[in-house]
């Protein structure tokens, strides 16, 4: 097999990172916000910790700034499902806090003021 025919690490890596798991320990919405906990900061600074590079990157990324699950996946250039499994593992270990979006009841509605602010923010982008 020629060198160019060999699969790259990127094709195998997501599977290896999650140890073959495709289902997260916790269901996390794509728009859920993630924040590093005190325990996560301590684990990230401890030399020789048992957390992988992905967990360290997420801890650093979400330290002091909330990031959505979608943003984490995009910044890490990983499939969303892989990022979800990693973040769910970290949440189960107390390394990150997950803030799920609130849902509206049937009788509640989104005010036009909120929608106008969102639209204004999108236009500024």
């Amino acid at each position: 097999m020629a060198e160019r025919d060999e699969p790259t690490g990127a094709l195998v890596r997501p599977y290896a990172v999650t140890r073959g798991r495709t289902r997260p320990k916790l269901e996390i919405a794509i728009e859920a916000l993630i924040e590093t906990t005190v325990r996560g900061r301590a684990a990230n600074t401890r030399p020789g910790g048992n957390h992988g590079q992905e967990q360290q990157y997420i801890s650093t990324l979400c330290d002091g700034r909330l990031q959505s699950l979608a943003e984490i996946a995009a910044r890490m250039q990983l499939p969303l499902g892989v990022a979800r499994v990693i973040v769910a593992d970290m949440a189960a270990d107390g390394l990150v806090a997950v803030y799920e979006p609130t849902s509206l009841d049937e009788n509640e509605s989104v005010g036009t003021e909120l929608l106008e602010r969102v639209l204004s923010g999108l236009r500024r982008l």
Side-chain angles (χ1 to χ4, degrees), residues 59-77:
S59 290
T60 302
L61 183 66
C62 299
D63 189 10
R65 183 164 185 247
L66 294 172
Q67 299 284 317
S68 72
L69 179 62
E71 289 172 308
I72 292 169
R75 289 180 187 267
M76 294 182 71
Q77 298 179 350

Side-chain angles (χ1 to χ4, degrees), residues 31-47:
E31 68 274 18
L33 297 176
I34 315 300
E35 180 180 36
T36 303
T37 62
V38 172
R39 184 176 181 182
R41 280 192 222 63
N44 201 29
T45 58
R46 188 175 29 239

Side-chain angles (χ1 to χ4, degrees), residues 55-123:
Q55 288 87 350
Q56 290 176 353
Y57 182 82
I58 292 169
S59 290
T60 302
L61 183 66
C62 299
D63 189 10
R65 183 164 185 247
L66 294 172
Q67 299 284 317
S68 72
L69 179 62
E71 289 172 308
I72 292 169
R75 289 180 187 267
M76 294 182 71
Q77 298 179 350
L78 286 174
L80 182 62
V82 173
R84 185 176 275 133
V85 169
I86 296 169
V87 170
D89 288 351
M90 292 178 71
D93 292 341
L95 302 175
V96 295
V98 177
Y99 303 103
E100 290 287 346
T102 58
S103 61
L104 297 174
D105 291 337
E106 278 183 30
N107 298 331
E108 290 184 54
S109 63
V110 177
T112 54
E113 181 184 334
L114 173 62
L115 293 175
E116 287 173 3
R117 287 195 331 243
V118 169
L119 183 59
S120 174
L122 289 171
R123 285 183 179 144

